[in-house]
Amino acid sequence: MDFLNALTHNIVFMSAVTGWFVAQVLKTLIYTCINRSFDPERLVGSGGMPSSHSATVCALATAAGIRYGGASFEFAISAILAIIVMYDARGVRRETGLQAQVLNEMITFWEKMGQPLTYEERLKEFVGHTPLQVFAGALLGILIAFLYCFSIG
């Protein structure tokens, strides 16, 4: 119990967790408003607006910077992690999602042509993020860290 108590009182950790949670809820609400249908997968899935990956790592880095200072190894590690995660979300993972979209269209085309395919499920297209989604997630994470650190810590 001491571990859980310490973890829930760790402002850096809780800032990151809160950043992820708020981004996932916002992502689900935005998706529901735009598509007029609720998809529970959006609560835990990747892709969409805002980027929960960016919100998480930016909240982590910002809280570490506020708590330990810009010269600390805690901030250095979390800032580098944030840069890598956001670059990957916008780059590699976004391209993966676009490729999945093309492959799903090809599967549909071949099925309409009467060609049996062995794929049981479509490939996941919500994988990466646009630059705007990454930026919005980053701003959300930074805001949450500031609110958490200066209102609780």
Side-chain angles (χ1 to χ4, degrees), residues 38-94:
F38 175 73
D39 181 4
E41 195 273 334
R42 295 284 74 218
L43 285 169
V44 293
S46 59
M49 170 67 108
S51 166
S52 58
H53 289 86
S54 297
T56 303
V57 294
C58 283
L60 178 74
T62 303
I66 292 169
R67 190 82 169 158
Y68 303 109
S72 68
F73 78 90
E74 292 93 345
F75 174 72
I77 291 170
S78 57
I80 294 299
L81 174 69
I83 291 167
I84 292 168
V85 167
M86 290 188 297
Y87 176 82
D88 182 65
R90 196 209 55 78
V92 177
R93 288 182 37 243
R94 176 151 168 76

Side-chain angles (χ1 to χ4, degrees), residues 23-43 48-50 126:
Q24 288 299 122
V25 170
L26 283 174
K27 179 187 307 191
T28 303
L29 292 173
I30 291 169
Y31 179 89
T32 301
C33 289
I34 291 172
N35 296 295
R36 305 235 185 262
S37 67
F38 175 73
D39 181 4
E41 195 273 334
R42 295 284 74 218
L43 285 169
M49 170 67 108
F126 277 120

Side-chain angles (χ1 to χ4, degrees), residues 92-102 124-128:
V92 177
R93 288 182 37 243
R94 176 151 168 76
E95 290 300 319
T96 300
L98 294 173
Q99 289 173 3
Q101 189 175 16
V102 170
K124 187 174 179 184
E125 296 177 15
F126 277 120
V127 181

